[in-house]
Amino acid sequence: MPYYRSVGEVPRKRHTQFRQPDGSLYAEELMGQEGFSSDSSLLYHRYAPTAIVAAEEFTPPAVTRVPNLPLKPRHLRTHKLDGGPADPVLGRRYLLANDDVRIAYVLADRPSPLFRDATGDHCLYVESGSLQVESTFGVLDAVAGDYVVIPTSTIHRLVPTGDEPARLLAIEAAGHVGPPKRYLSVRGQFLEHSPYCERDVRGPDAPLLVDGEEVEVLVRHRRGWTRYVYAHHPFDVVGWDGHLYPWAFSIHDFEPITGRIHQPPPVHQTFQGPNFVICSFVPRKVDYHPDAIPVPYNHHNVDSDEMLFYTGGNYEARRGSGIEQGSISLHPSGFTHGPQPGAAERSIGADYFDELAVMVDTFRPLDLCDAAAECEDPGYAWTWARRP
């Protein structure tokens, strides 16, 4: 994250003696990106974060990928995947993936195991329900509409809270996720033209101290998965400081950029990842030129696949296509897409759109995963040929 935070107890100077009440040293852990050359945080543990007593290969639920063939637009109804009890990590149903990003959906009603993903950052979007993100940095509460960014290799646990399961869209990067560089100054401050700022961002505000010995942690790494047994519970950090930590941002705090004529998707960009972007479409005043057509024009984004997750309101451009709460549309590169028949004419004169959606644009093709076949609407590709 682009600003510094200090939580709990830390010594005045880095890498100096910091002692526990019994006189022993706290164990420092520097967690940083890009080989000591980018953002980092310094954590102080009661026990050695390196102490493991067992390690064995772990086999996660299998996921297969197949190309989007024949090439065509797809409509996935994620709520059709509702099944038995699931945890928010191992219960994820993978829908779309390439070598840069994996996109999954889960209806979670129980805590996940302790988990660390050493392959990249996670960006979770909470469609409904609520959960706590417990980590070595503390506790972060998330509710419907929140994005939660969990940095690479953060040991964490996701705990659904409240009376209903949590519905989550999980965007798993093969790298780091953060605000677009054009929103930040050279020193990392949000600039005036950014649609959100530091005041909108939340992070853990107190340490989370959990006692326990010989605790299991699942780790996904570049060669597979491993189950470790740590000698002590990893949630033993008494304090930390730095720029790297889990953080949350509500889609409802995204300030839309509008204009006299239709604005292109980059004005909705919220995050960037390796070879993909995440955008937020929120309720907003729409185009106010007297001859404006508020819905998008037909477009062929020749370098990108476009995935749109519909999470509230009414998406005017897709009316009549069967799109519903929790729907995902995939419009691949190589296919021109646009509003449904009649949508452009219907939109003329509208001054406000009440829509809520999360978009992921990738710069490499997205494959279809197992769960996509289970919830696909097979008639979606032909809806543009119907009469309005």
Side-chain angles (χ1 to χ4, degrees):
M1 258 310 291
Y3 73 95
Y4 170 86
R5 301 185 76 238
S6 179
V7 171
E9 301 175 65
V10 298
R12 192 181 73 82
K13 293 285 288 183
R14 294 182 296 173
H15 316 313
T16 58
Q17 297 178 34
F18 183 34
R19 296 191 178 274
Q20 305 194 44
D22 66 1
S24 61
L25 288 170
Y26 285 109
E28 284 185 300
E29 178 191 7
L30 180 70
M31 181 174 170
Q33 299 173 342
E34 299 179 15
F36 298 90
S37 300
S38 188
D39 292 348
S40 67
S41 284
L42 191 57
L43 301 92
Y44 293 88
H45 292 263
R46 295 189 296 185
Y47 304 101
T50 51
I52 58 173
V53 298
E56 62 180 7
E57 189 174 356
F58 176 77
T59 303
V63 178
T64 61
R65 288 166 45 181
V66 297
N68 181 8
L69 293 175
L71 186 74
K72 64 178 182 177
R74 309 275 179 166
H75 172 207
L76 311 178
R77 291 184 162 125
T78 62
H79 288 195
K80 289 185 66 176
L81 298 174
D82 293 357
D87 81 61
V89 171
L90 296 180
R92 292 178 188 175
R93 307 297 309 279
Y94 286 85
L95 298 162
L96 304 165
N98 60 25
D99 290 342
D100 303 312
V101 64
R102 300 175 295 264
I103 300 168
Y105 187 83
V106 63
L107 177 65
D109 67 347
R110 59 191 56 198
S112 74
L114 290 170
F115 176 60
R116 162 185 271 166
D117 192 336
T119 68
D121 293 0
H122 288 194
C123 180
L124 309 178
Y125 178 79
V126 184
E127 179 192 352
S128 64
S130 60
L131 76 157
Q132 284 190 330
V133 181
E134 301 175 349
S135 75
T136 47
F137 294 89
V139 174
L140 185 58
D141 290 310
V143 298
D146 278 346
Y147 292 104
V148 180
V149 178
I150 302 174
T152 306
S153 279
T154 300
I155 296 180
H156 66 279
R157 187 171 79 123
L158 303 178
V159 183
T161 55
D163 297 328
E164 61 178 286
R167 292 185 178 274
L168 304 177
L169 181 75
I171 303 165
E172 303 172 359
H176 303 308
V177 174
K181 290 182 180 179
R182 70 178 184 278
Y183 293 170
L184 305 175
S185 75
V186 293
R187 295 177 179 85
Q189 181 181 5
F190 279 106
L191 297 170
E192 281 295 297
H193 65 267
S194 171
Y196 63 103
C197 73
E198 290 85 352
R199 297 184 188 184
D200 301 316
V201 170
R202 314 188 308 276
D205 57 12
L208 173 61
L209 297 174
V210 178
D211 292 320
E213 296 183 348
E214 299 203 358
V215 177
E216 290 188 358
V217 177
L218 296 181
V219 177
R220 175 161 55 192
H221 47 90
R222 295 172 188 174
R223 295 296 186 186
W225 288 60
T226 296
R227 180 194 284 116
Y228 289 106
V229 178
Y230 278 75
H232 298 279
H233 201 293
F235 295 170
D236 66 341
V237 173
V238 298
W240 59 271
D241 74 334
H243 291 247
L244 187 66
Y245 47 85
W247 56 283
F249 164 70
S250 175
I251 196 172
H252 303 298
D253 286 328
F254 186 87
E255 299 301 330
I257 298 168
T258 62
R260 280 182 15 113
I261 58 174
H262 188 78
Q263 299 298 295
V267 304
H268 305 286
Q269 188 178 352
T270 312
F271 307 103
Q272 66 180 32
N275 290 319
F276 71 90
V277 300
I278 302 173
C279 300
S280 302
F281 291 85
V282 301
R284 64 195 182 278
K285 182 178 178 61
V286 290
D287 321 340
Y288 43 90
H289 185 285
D291 293 325
I293 302 175
V295 298
Y297 33 79
N298 295 312
H299 52 288
H300 185 184
N301 201 353
V302 298
D303 294 317
S304 300
D305 278 14
E306 175 193 288
M307 186 224 82
L308 203 58
F309 176 65
Y310 302 86
T311 184
N314 299 301
Y315 200 77
E316 292 296 327
R318 297 271 79 81
R319 192 192 300 180
S321 61
I323 294 294
E324 59 195 14
Q325 177 70 30
S327 284
I328 285 178
S329 64
L330 172 64
H331 297 146
S333 171
F335 174 80
T336 301
H337 65 277
Q340 288 290 314
E345 191 69 44
R346 286 195 305 268
S347 74
I348 294 173
D351 60 3
Y352 185 81
F353 279 176
D354 180 25
E355 63 188 22
L356 200 63
V358 174
M359 186 171 80
V360 180
D361 269 12
T362 67
F363 293 98
R364 286 200 273 190
L366 284 165
D367 291 335
L368 305 173
C369 300
D370 312 66
E374 295 181 35
C375 64
E376 184 175 5
D377 167 13
Y380 177 70
W382 328 123
T383 54
W384 284 268
R386 298 174 187 164
R387 293 176 181 266

